Amino acid sequence: VAQFQRLAAVVGCNSHHHGARFAAAFPWLQSRTRVIYNGAELTALQPLTTELRTLRLLAVGTVTPRKNFATVIEALGWLRARGLPVPHVRWAGKVGLDAAERAARDQAERRLVELDLVSHWEWLGERTDIPRLLGECDALIHASFLEGFPNAMGEAFAAGRPVLASAVGDHALLVREGENGFL
């Protein structure tokens, strides 16, 4: 791939984060590196409800340790241990294929049981109805350790949903603290 990139008139990256990493790794290609930002299909905005109820969070991403579901589970446990309201999390995404990813998912299942959080968590599997799921949630949670431009965040904003995200990759370019989400 690197040989083809040397010959290319332009090298495309899909996020500012990946563009910066690429330019740092291949400085001689910096002048030919372009960021073509991922986008989201805009759909009709669905209003948020003002009724008092359990907060509903949606996570969208492959079930792999890099997406940081373990920390989300620990955060729910922290809330429960302090007697605070515990949100309901729905995770849409396929389970990673390698043994380490499957083992991490199994460990997460055990931890949900240990923390008495099974009723606050749903693994939804791979889905094609993300716009509907976004309409049913109060916010998107995106706790990844590493990201460029996450499509799920663009889709959440297009649906009028705030985002709770880790401070990595392009997240800080997308989330305006306290306005459309929190890092």
Side-chain angles (χ1 to χ4, degrees):
V1 172
Q3 294 303 322
F4 289 119
Q5 291 169 335
R6 284 192 171 115
L7 298 173
V10 175
V11 177
C13 298
N14 70 353
S15 74
H16 296 289
H17 175 73
H18 288 145
R21 286 182 57 207
F22 187 84
F26 307 104
W28 58 91
L29 293 174
Q30 186 170 3
S31 66
R32 292 186 277 153
T33 301
R34 303 289 182 275
V35 174
I36 303 170
Y37 222 44
N38 283 344
E41 182 178 328
L42 297 177
T43 59
L45 297 179
Q46 301 173 22
L48 291 170
T49 181
T50 57
E51 69 184 71
L52 292 176
R53 57 170 170 64
T54 300
L55 184 66
R56 298 172 304 183
L57 302 176
L58 177 67
V60 179
T62 303
V63 180
T64 181
R66 177 174 64 86
K67 295 297 185 177
N68 201 11
F69 52 83
T71 299
V72 176
I73 292 169
E74 293 304 318
L76 296 180
W78 185 91
L79 291 170
R80 173 167 288 255
R82 284 153 183 79
L84 298 169
V86 179
H88 184 84
V89 176
R90 302 175 84 193
W91 193 292
K94 65 181 179 179
V95 176
L97 299 177
D98 71 29
E101 291 170 324
R102 288 193 311 274
R105 159 75 191 269
D106 293 343
Q107 173 58 34
E109 286 286 346
R110 288 189 294 278
R111 191 66 177 141
L112 287 166
V113 170
E114 291 168 6
L115 295 172
D116 192 25
L117 294 170
V118 174
S119 65
H120 293 274
W121 192 279
E122 284 182 80
W123 298 106
L124 300 176
E126 194 167 3
R127 300 293 289 256
T128 59
D129 59 344
I130 299 302
R132 182 181 69 76
L133 294 172
L134 283 166
E136 295 172 355
C137 76
D138 297 306
L140 179 84
I141 187 162
H142 206 278
S144 294
F145 287 120
L146 176 67
E147 280 295 337
F149 176 94
N151 289 337
M153 284 177 62
E155 292 165 349
F157 291 139
R161 295 303 183 257
V163 174
L164 308 169
S166 52
V168 300
D170 285 354
H171 290 183
L173 296 173
L174 300 167
V175 175
R176 292 181 307 278
E177 193 77 22
E179 186 178 328
N180 66 350
F182 297 94
L183 293 177

